[in-house]
Amino acid sequence: MMKVVVFGATGMVGQGVLRESLLAPDVEQVLAVIRTPTGVSHPRLREVRLDDSPI
């Protein structure tokens, strides 16, 4: 079983990676590091939102 981390899950390529990862039977968990919510609800998906503010 694999765990997948996706950065940029709301972009063109990231959306495809997210979709295919959630469809793959050998992926047990997907972690999306995002600035804006993906709008996707799935039991294997966890989103971590990073603020865009400067340090």
Side-chain angles (χ1 to χ4, degrees), residues 4-6 11-23 30:
V4 176
V5 178
V6 181
M12 185 177 73
V13 174
Q15 285 177 353
V17 171
L18 178 62
R19 181 177 47 249
E20 294 301 316
S21 296
L22 292 173
L23 290 172
V30 179

Side-chain angles (χ1 to χ4, degrees), residues 20-46:
E20 294 301 316
S21 296
L22 292 173
L23 290 172
D26 58 339
V27 174
E28 67 176 292
Q29 183 181 18
V30 179
L31 173 64
V33 180
I34 57 169
R35 287 184 289 184
T36 57
T38 62
V40 176
S41 178
H42 195 281
R44 291 187 284 158
L45 175 62
R46 183 172 148 230

